[in-house]
C-alpha cells in the first residue's frame, strides 16, 4: 500500500504564501474527503480545509476563508492547500487526513460524528511577524 506523502511546510513572513500537498493511495483518495487539520502540542485539533474528491465540494474554517484554497488533482491522487496572506496565528503543525465520508463530516460536524484517519507525520508551518 502506498504511503501518503505530504510536502510543502516551512517558514515565511507574515503575508507570505506556502503550498502543502498530500498524495494518497488511490483507495484513500477516490470518492473520499481529504484535507488538513492543525494541532499544537497539548491542544485540540482544528480543522482547516477539506475537499470531497468525488465532486470537489470544499470546507474551510472561518479563520482561513478567503486566504486558503484547497484543490485536487485526480490524476495524481493529490490534494493541495494553497495558503496565502499567512498570519503568525497560522503557525502550527499541519496534518493531512481523510474521514471516509462524502460530506467531510469530521470537518463540518466535529470529531463526535466521524473518525479521522491521519495520513502523515505533519509538517510545520511557521509564520513570523
Amino acid at each position: 500500500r502506498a504511503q501518503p506523502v505530504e510536502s510543502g511546510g516551512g517558514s515565511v513572513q507574515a503575508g507570505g504564501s506556502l503550498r502543502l500537498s498530500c498524495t494518497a493511495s488511490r483507495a484513500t483518495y477516490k470518492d473520499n474527503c481529504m484535507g488538513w487539520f492543525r494541532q499544537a502540542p497539548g491542544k485540540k485539533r482544528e480543522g482547516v480545509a477539506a475537499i470531497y474528491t468525488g465532486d470537489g465540494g470544499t470546507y474551510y474554517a472561518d479563520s482561513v476563508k478567503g486566504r486558503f484554497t484547497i484543490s485536487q488533482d485526480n490524476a495524481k491522487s493529490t490534494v493541495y492547500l494553497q495558503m496565502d496572506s499567512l498570519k503568525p496565528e497560522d503557525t502550527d503543525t499541519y496534518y493531512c487526513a481523510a474521514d471516509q465520508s462524502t460530506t467531510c463530516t469530521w470537518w463540518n460536524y466535529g470529531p463526535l460524528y466521524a473518525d479521522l484517519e491521519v495520513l502523515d507525520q505533519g509538517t510545520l508551518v511557521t509564520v513570523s511577524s
Side-chain angles (χ1 to χ4, degrees):
R1 177 182 173 183
Q3 292 299 312
V5 176
E6 181 177 8
S7 62
S11 298
V12 295
Q13 290 191 322
S17 297
L18 285 171
R19 188 175 82 154
L20 305 182
S21 64
C22 179
T23 300
S25 68
R26 190 68 182 161
T28 297
Y29 177 87
K30 189 177 186 299
D31 295 336
N32 197 3
C33 182
M34 289 184 59
W36 279 266
F37 68 91
R38 56 194 183 189
Q39 185 175 27
K43 295 193 174 181
K44 291 169 54 176
R45 294 173 174 176
E46 178 190 6
V48 176
I51 187 166
Y52 170 55
T53 61
D55 65 9
T58 57
Y59 161 90
Y60 293 98
D62 288 343
S63 58
V64 307
K65 281 180 182 175
R67 301 187 298 120
F68 290 12
T69 304
I70 191 167
S71 61
Q72 64 189 94
D73 184 332
N74 294 336
K76 298 180 180 179
S77 297
T78 298
V79 293
Y80 302 95
L81 184 66
Q82 178 66 39
M83 304 186 292
D84 298 320
S85 302
L86 282 161
K87 303 176 180 180
E89 50 263 46
D90 295 317
T91 296
D92 220 323
T93 299
Y94 287 69
Y95 297 85
C96 180
D99 79 356
Q100 302 290 333
S101 78
T102 61
T103 56
C104 295
T105 304
W106 187 89
W107 281 269
N108 277 299
Y109 303 109
L112 292 178
Y113 300 95
D115 293 326
L116 200 62
E117 179 184 4
V118 182
L119 302 178
D120 64 11
Q121 299 295 319
T123 186
L124 180 61
V125 171
T126 303
V127 185
S128 58
S129 58

